[in-house]
Amino acid sequence: MEYIIKTILIGIGGTIAMDIWALLLKHLFNIQSLNYAFVGRWIGHFSNGKFMHNSIAKAPPIAGEKAIGWCAHYLIGITFSILLVIIWGYEWIDTPRIIPALIIGIATTIAPFLIMQPGMGLGIAAAKLPNANTARFRSLLTHTIYGIGLYLTALILTIR
């Protein structure tokens, strides 16, 4: 049970790191991050059998979409931390190493590139955006920050 709780906390910590990064970008450089209401809207349309949109911004709003999006954001972060522990084992929680956390963080960029962005109408790896390479770089950097957050949270949990 201890490892399950720690794995969940590690996922939450990694996700918080992403959110802190997004706040820093917003307040220091006026760079907007992902609107989680749009994530919630996208997910909310699943129940209608709608998984792909031309533009999620133009799709009909869903009741509670912001809360749905934020909950999904944290549940996804926890899910990827579970993947980390499945691959590297409970030993990683006891003696965290940065490389496995970075591998998971960077690898998770596949999810927005191949699932979320196409589903929300942005194309594979944001190809439909006029600044696609900038969006790709920001996604990669944000997910790298998630990996660093996984590692730092696990490190904090080893302190007794």
Side-chain angles (χ1 to χ4, degrees), residues 84 88 92 97-105:
L84 171 64
W88 277 277
W92 184 85
R97 297 173 322 282
I98 187 72
I99 297 302
L102 284 175
I103 290 170
I104 290 296

Side-chain angles (χ1 to χ4, degrees), residues 28-41:
L28 296 178
F29 303 105
N30 200 28
I31 296 172
Q32 297 299 316
S33 69
L34 176 61
N35 181 344
Y36 289 104
F38 287 154
V39 174
R41 184 176 300 177

Side-chain angles (χ1 to χ4, degrees), residues 32-133:
Q32 297 299 316
S33 69
L34 176 61
N35 181 344
Y36 289 104
F38 287 154
V39 174
R41 184 176 300 177
W42 176 59
I43 292 169
H45 281 281
F46 291 176
S47 64
N48 302 325
K50 181 86 171 159
F51 302 97
M52 301 290 288
H53 296 266
N54 291 328
S55 170
I56 196 63
K58 294 178 183 175
I62 298 293
E65 62 187 28
K66 190 172 186 177
I68 293 167
W70 277 98
C71 287
H73 174 54
Y74 275 83
L75 289 172
I76 292 165
I78 291 166
T79 301
F80 286 137
S81 70
I82 293 168
L83 181 63
L84 171 64
V85 174
I86 287 171
I87 294 171
W88 277 277
Y90 293 134
E91 301 80 29
W92 184 85
I93 293 175
D94 293 331
T95 54
R97 297 173 322 282
I98 187 72
I99 297 302
L102 284 175
I103 290 170
I104 290 296
I106 292 167
T108 62
T109 309
I110 292 169
F113 282 1
L114 299 181
I115 300 169
M116 222 168 73
Q117 291 168 353
M120 295 171 82
L122 304 175
I124 293 174
K128 292 183 180 179
L129 291 178
N131 56 350
N133 285 334

